Every structure is written in structure tokens, then in C-alpha cells.
């Protein structure tokens, strides 16, 4: 007996769901947008990373441990690189509801199939899901199935590498710079997130 690995089963189930939604929407004339969503935590705690230095010289890299954070909410459409994002002070059902409403408002003429992990605030009773959106949950412990993880890697590598911030305003400004840069370059987002 052949057993299909869990990620492959999840992808097959997602393909079937997308096909069914597209067929159902074809009769109404609505467009379907497949998006993947995740939250990333950014703050003043830093982890030193490797960097270039002249031969024989040890690089001096700043580091700090200050436990202050903010959260980036991101949803991407890997097929065309469209990315929607918000920076919010916490990760809970109110912030998530606000983010889903923002994504819905940015795509008013489309039905959004939003794929996300099973975080508690994603399934909270108080979560408000817009009418033009349906939530789909990934299997537990499978971050490799969410292409938004590549967005976090890109932001941390290119905008937060070996950086320390004197206050949270600096973190938020840097995070906004990164998100705006990525939102304005759909080709980059598509190349980061559009894996088979």
C-alpha cells in the first residue's frame, strides 16, 4: 500500500477545493483569487548573522535582547505576486478581523480563498470573515506549505540583518519600508512565493 505524505495530501485537497470554487464562481461571473496568509513578529531582539569582512578582521556586529514586538500581517497571491499587508500591534482575533477586512476591501470584485495556518486567532469565535472570503486551513506543523514564509525570510535577510533599533518606531519604519517595497514589486513577490 502506498501512503501519500501529508503535505502532498494537503496540496491535492487544496487543488480540488480551488477547482470546485472556480467552477462554482464561473456561473456567477465572479473572479477567484487564491491567497496565502501569515503573521510575522518583528522586534528589537536581534540575532547576529554572518557578514562579509576584510580577510583577517573579525566583524563587529551589534546585538540586543529587548522583548518588544510588532506584527506584520501579509497575504499573497503567488500566481501574480499581489501582496497585501498591514502592521498591527498584536496578533489576536480583532487584529486578524481588521486585516481580513482590509484584504477584502482591496479586492471587492473577487472571491478570495484565503489559506492560512491553524493559529488560535484564525479560528476564534469572534473572528469576522468578510462575505467575499472563505478560509482554508493548512495541516498542523506544516509551515513549508505556506509561501508567505519566504516573504519573512526575504524581509529578515534584506531589511533586518544585523540591525539594532533604539525604539519600536525604528522597527516599524523599517518593516513598513520592506512591506511597501515588496508590495510595489509583484514580480519579486511572485518569484519568492510561486513555487510548484
Amino acid at each position: 500500500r502506498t501512503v501519500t505524505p501529508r503535505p502532498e495530501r494537503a496540496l491535492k485537497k487544496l487543488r480540488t477545493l480551488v477547482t470546485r470554487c472556480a467552477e462554482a464562481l464561473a456561473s456567477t461571473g465572479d473572479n477567484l483569487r487564491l491567497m496565502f496568509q501569515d503573521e510575522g513578529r518583528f522586534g528589537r531582539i536581534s540575532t547576529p548573522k554572518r557578514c562579509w569582512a576584510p580577510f583577517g578582521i573579525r566583524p563587529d556586529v551589534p546585538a540586543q535582547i529587548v522583548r518588544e514586538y510588532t506584527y506584520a500581517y501579509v497575504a499573497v497571491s503567488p500566481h501574480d505576486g499581489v501582496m497585501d499587508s498591514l502592521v498591527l500591534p498584536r496578533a489576536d482575533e480583532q487584529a486578524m478581523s481588521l486585516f481580513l477586512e482590509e484584504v477584502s476591501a482591496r479586492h471587492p470584485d473577487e472571491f478570495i480563498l484565503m489559506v492560512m495556518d491553524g493559529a488560535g486567532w484564525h479560528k476564534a469565535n469572534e473572528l469576522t470573515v468578510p462575505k467575499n472570503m472563505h478560509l482554508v486551513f493548512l495541516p498542523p506543523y506544516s509551515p513549508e506549505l505556506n509561501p508567505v514564509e519566504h516573504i519573512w525570510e526575504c524581509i529578515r535577510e534584506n531589511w533586518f540583518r544585523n540591525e539594532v533599533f533604539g525604539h519600536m518606531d525604528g522597527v516599524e519604519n523599517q518593516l513598513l519600508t520592506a512591506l511597501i517595497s515588496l508590495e510595489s514589486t509583484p514580480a519579486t513577490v511572485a518569484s519568492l512565493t510561486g513555487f510548484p
Side-chain angles (χ1 to χ4, degrees):
R1 175 177 155 204
T2 304
V3 177
T4 307
R6 185 181 57 166
E8 289 178 25
R9 283 195 312 257
L11 286 175
K12 185 177 179 182
K13 184 178 175 182
L14 180 59
R15 281 189 202 106
T16 303
L17 182 60
V18 170
T19 302
R20 284 187 194 149
C21 281
E23 289 169 355
L25 290 172
S27 62
T28 65
D30 291 332
N31 294 319
L32 177 64
R33 178 169 290 278
L34 176 64
M35 299 190 88
F36 291 81
Q37 186 278 331
D38 198 18
E39 305 86 27
R41 184 174 72 175
F42 293 84
R44 294 183 57 207
I45 193 167
S46 64
T47 303
K49 301 283 186 181
R50 300 183 111 192
C51 61
W52 291 101
F55 183 75
I57 296 177
R58 185 178 183 159
D60 184 20
V61 177
Q64 67 182 6
I65 301 175
V66 179
R67 289 178 170 80
E68 292 180 314
Y69 305 102
T70 193
Y71 295 84
Y73 286 71
V74 167
V76 298
S77 293
H79 70 283
D80 63 2
V82 169
M83 180 175 130
D84 300 327
S85 64
L86 278 181
V87 176
L88 297 168
R90 59 189 186 278
D92 60 18
E93 64 274 0
Q94 286 111 5
M96 187 67 195
S97 295
L98 181 66
F99 177 68
L100 294 179
E101 188 58 41
E102 176 68 20
V103 173
S104 172
R106 291 188 190 187
H107 307 280
D109 300 325
E110 298 175 308
F111 186 82
I112 302 164
L113 200 57
M114 185 71 77
V115 182
M116 59 182 64
D117 62 32
W121 53 90
H122 294 172
K123 297 181 176 183
N125 291 334
E126 296 82 21
L127 183 67
T128 305
V129 180
K131 292 184 190 247
N132 67 330
M133 189 178 292
H134 178 73
L135 305 184
V136 178
F137 298 102
L138 292 168
Y141 310 107
S142 57
E144 70 277 8
L145 296 178
N146 194 337
V148 181
E149 297 291 342
H150 298 290
I151 298 293
W152 305 142
E153 291 170 7
C154 175
I155 290 173
R156 288 187 171 100
E157 181 69 23
N158 295 307
W159 283 277
F160 283 86
R161 184 182 185 93
N162 293 330
E163 292 284 337
V164 294
F165 300 94
H167 46 78
M168 282 303 294
D169 290 344
V171 174
E172 290 175 7
N173 290 338
Q174 188 78 340
L175 185 54
L176 287 171
T177 299
L179 294 170
I180 290 168
S181 175
L182 288 170
E183 278 192 34
S184 64
T185 54
T188 301
V189 173
S191 72
L192 287 169
T193 61
F195 54 86

